[in-house]
Every structure is written in C-alpha cells, then in structure tokens.
Amino acid sequence: MADRYLSFTATAPGRLLTRRLGLPQPAALSRWSSEHPCLPGDLLHLTAGETEVSDLAPVLARTGLPLAAPAGGPAGGPGDAPVAAVVLDATGVQDVDTLAEVHAALHPVVRSVAASGRIVVLGSPLDAGADHHRAAAQQALEGFVRSLGKEIGRGRTVNLLRLTDAVAAESTLRFLLSPKSAYVSGQVIAATAAGSDTPADPSLPLAGRTALVTGGARGIGEAVARTLARDGAHVVVLDVPQAQDDARRLAGQLGGAAIALDITAADAGERIAAELPDGLDVLIHNAGITRDRRLVNMPAERWSSVLDVNLASVLRTTDALFAKGALRRGGRIVATASIAGLAGNAGQTNYGASKAGIAGLVRSLAPRALAEHGVTVNAVAPGFIETKMTAAVPLFIREAGRRMNSLAQGGLPVDVAETTAWLAHPASGAVNGQVVRVCGQSLLGA
C-alpha cells in the first residue's frame, strides 16, 4: 500500500505544513538497485582514541566509496560537500576522556552527512573481565549510537559494529555502508567469530550454493527468495500445499525448485533432506502465522497453532537437518524473529512468545552449530513492514506503526531480504548468534 503521508511530505506544501505542526518528516530512502549499487558520495574515516583494528583502511577502500579528504584538507572534505558515509573507529576508546573524542570527531561533520547517508561507529567486543573504565566507555557507545540514530533524520542511519578484525568484518561493513541497509538503524552488531569464505565472484556471492526459504511463495519470503537468487543461489521455495502454485511459479522465474510441504509435519526435516540429497548451504526459516487476540480471549488452538508454526517447526526442522548432515560446512541459518518478540505487543502473547523463542534458539545454538558443523545461526527481527498483512491493519494503527521509528516510515520486504542476504553471505562467517532488527529503529523496545 502506498504511503501517502510520505509522498505528501516530499512536496513543498507538505514540508511547510508538517514542519509548522511538528509532525514527522520522513525522507524517501535510497535502496539498492543494479543502476545505483553504492551510496552517492565519499566515505569519511575518523578515529577516536588509538585504533585496535589493523587493515581497516584497505577494507574501507574496497567498499566502493571513495575516501573523503580529512577536515582542512583538499576540496571534498567535510564542510565542503556532503559525504555519503562516516566510519568512526572507536575501538580504542578506553575511558571517559577518550570517549570525549567521539564527540570531538563527529560533532563537526554530522551536518555533512547526505540524506540517506550512513554513520558506522566501530567498537571493541564487550569483555566482562575487562577494566571497568574501558567497559563503561565501550558500553557508552551503544547509548550514543541509538540516541544519534533517533535525532539525525533525513533517512540517515547510525549503527555500531563491534569487531576485532577488519577483514573478517568486511561483508558487514559493506552492508552497513550500502543502500542495502536502508531500514537498519540503531543496531549493535558483533562480527567477532572466524571462518568467513571469500566468494569467487563478488557479484554472485551465493553462486554454487543451495538456499531453502520456508514460507517463500509470497510476501517477505518471496522477496528473500528473489534476493538470494539475484546473488547467485539455487533457491528452493518451500510453502504449504495450498500455496504450491505460487511457489512453483516463483521457482520457475528464479530457475529454482519448489517443495509443497506443511512445515509443522513431524517429519518435515527428513522430507526436506530427502528432496535435497546433495545438501543445503542456506536455510531461511521464514514461515510464520499470526492469530492475534488478547490472552483473556485466546483459545488454546490460537496459542498452539502459532507456537507450532513459528517456533516448534523451526526447532524440529533444524534438528532434523543437522542430524541428517544436510547442512554443509560453511552454511548459514537465518531465522525470522520480530520486534513483537523483543518488545512485546498487545494482542500478540502467542506471536511474541514464538518470536522471542527464535531469539533464544539463535543465541543458544549459534556457538555449538559453528563449533560442531561450521554453520552460523542468526536472525532478522522485522518491524513494521509494508505487506498485504499490514495493509489490512486499521488506518490509525497502521499510521502509528509506520511513524513510530527513527525513519518515520514502514520498511519494505526487500529490506528484510537484503539483511537476510548479508547474513547468508559466505563472507559473513564472523557474524554469529546475532538478532538484527530491521525496523528503522522502532521506538518499541528501544
């Protein structure tokens, strides 16, 4: 459904009226396309404290964004022209004094970040045994990033990336500094594991890999399937038998395959493994349902059906595929959580429980799956995404959902798909056990 308010605020009368009334002023987001694969403009690299990351400069040079001249340097530096993105290396922030360097570095350049631009702050992993001054300073970066994300406006995003090795985190930096991360803001992402693979063809990173998308025939699942196919994957679209015509049609368009299967069947995992005798590289748990009602009015069937589809089937299928050896080393599992599971939502005790369960699954399984099988496990947690389901929401509730985030608009299915594709990337092995919100920095649970 078209966002008429967003279109209205893009006009001169709309800007004037909303400014005078103090209403949200969303900016149209720049998303990835083959014609515009990179943000327009330069990348400014700044440092607070002494860096603890080697090889950062060459990694930034490979993002596709030309490096901007530093302040006071040749034309093109901050203050002379807008920059597409700013990367602030704060890995060396040790205490309150060096934390002040974060302010000193960004204060003069925030206004220079172009609309739909990016600010990425780099931090060090949090260590419970670290000096408490350092721990306090590094934790402070999270509050700083989330606060800046809420005030920066104009479609710009701010995220914190905790890393130990720039090369291992390269795919994450590329994602955060690209139009593909348009609806990801206010997030804290850790890229600290090992085991990333460099694809032979960067333009087709999933070439030669098989990806299964459950609930893939329509909506967000369809967007995920199309995006993985764009990146070179052989996509298998799995959906319920009632949607098999849509699944087969989509699979035909993508040069993939379709499986008609009720994912809640006790033997679903075994049947998937039998359909894929050569194994699986990417498993996307996207299938899900809602049966909303307040707990006092919720019959047991509404509770159990949601928990069975959204959580129990994910657990059973994942266990079965591991037991059958169907997930190859270097594989990726990406499950779909929700901000309803992280923040709660009235009328969704069943849905919220199921999606919080996904977050628990990811955090528990991720270290073991990597150690025992060489497979990473992560989740995306969408916020308000423009789909047929949200189009059916009553007008005022729908508008509240759209505006209650730092970008003041709903996301698109492709925003979830691009985040999923980043987590499925062969070079994203350093990202494991993460639940990444794709919500425009929703105010819910923030």
Side-chain angles (χ1 to χ4, degrees), residues 3 25 51 86 134 164 176 212 215 219 251 282 290 297 354 385:
D3 187 341
Q25 294 184 296
T51 182
V86 176
R134 175 184 171 84
T164 53
L176 293 175
L212 175 74
V282 178
T290 57
N297 298 319
S354 71
I385 304 296

Side-chain angles (χ1 to χ4, degrees), residues 91-140:
T91 56
V93 167
Q94 302 277 351
D95 50 31
V96 175
D97 289 339
T98 47
L99 191 60
E101 295 183 30
V102 173
H103 172 271
L106 287 177
H107 171 71
V109 303
V110 167
R111 288 190 179 91
S112 300
V113 180
S116 285
R118 306 281 185 266
I119 293 180
V120 178
V121 177
L122 306 182
S124 296
L126 297 178
D127 182 357
D131 173 79
H132 57 284
H133 290 265
R134 175 184 171 84
Q138 284 291 323
Q139 186 74 54

Side-chain angles (χ1 to χ4, degrees), residues 340-354:
L342 305 180
N345 202 15
Q348 289 193 316
T349 53
N350 50 0
Y351 186 76
S354 71

Side-chain angles (χ1 to χ4, degrees), residues 64-87:
L65 297 175
L67 291 179
D80 298 313
V83 293
V86 176
V87 172

Side-chain angles (χ1 to χ4, degrees), residues 303-326:
W303 173 275
S304 60
S305 61
V306 169
L307 269 292
D308 198 23
V309 174
N310 296 4
L311 181 58
S313 71
V314 176
L315 292 162
R316 284 194 302 266
T317 303
T318 302
D319 289 347
L321 290 173
F322 273 131
K324 290 289 184 180

Side-chain angles (χ1 to χ4, degrees), residues 31-34 37 175 178-180 201-207 223-235 254 414 417-422 425:
R31 292 181 167 89
W32 184 93
S33 70
S34 57
F175 171 71
S178 79
K180 295 179 178 180
D201 183 351
S203 66
L204 294 171
L206 296 177
V224 171
R226 290 187 181 279
T227 303
L228 298 180
R230 177 204 68 191
D231 286 353
H234 173 74
V235 176
L254 303 180
V414 71
E418 294 288 13
T419 307
T420 301
W422 152 59
H425 197 290

Side-chain angles (χ1 to χ4, degrees), residues 1 219-220 288-292 338 345 348 351 355 382-394 397-398 413:
M1 175 177 284
I220 291 174
I289 63 171
T290 57
R291 296 289 186 271
D292 296 354
S338 169
N345 202 15
Q348 289 193 316
Y351 186 76
K355 294 305 185 179
F384 186 96
I385 304 296
E386 303 280 359
T387 63
K388 289 183 179 179
M389 183 178 70
T390 54
V393 172
I397 297 176
R398 183 171 66 243

